[in-house]
């Protein structure tokens, strides 16, 4: 998969690295602001069940 993405990115290796970094940042932002808030009600991280 990563090889396919690398081959599809335009430009020389320097531009490919910049485009790949931008792609990673965009995916991270989409996950942080769109996907994780949708999943938050299903994953209860605030409720701790460990007792002493």
């Amino acid at each position: 998969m990563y090889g396919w993405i690398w081959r599809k990115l335009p430009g020389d290796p320097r531009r490919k690295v910049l485009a790949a970094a931008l792609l990673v940042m965009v995916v991270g932002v989409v996950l942080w602001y769109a996907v994780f808030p949708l999943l938050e009600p299903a994953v209860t991280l605030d409720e701790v069940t460990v007792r002493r």
Side-chain angles (χ1 to χ4, degrees):
M1 176 174 88
Y2 300 114
W4 180 83
I5 293 171
W6 187 256
R7 286 189 302 271
K8 295 297 178 186
L9 290 173
D12 61 342
R14 242 183 334 183
R15 288 184 188 241
K16 287 184 178 192
V17 168
L18 289 174
L22 181 65
L23 187 62
V24 167
M25 286 191 294
V26 167
V27 168
V29 167
V30 168
L31 285 172
W32 190 263
Y33 289 107
V35 176
F36 293 156
L38 292 174
L39 294 176
E40 187 179 8
V43 180
T44 55
L45 297 175
D46 295 337
E47 297 177 16
V48 179
T49 58
V50 178
R51 295 183 185 163
R52 289 185 173 197

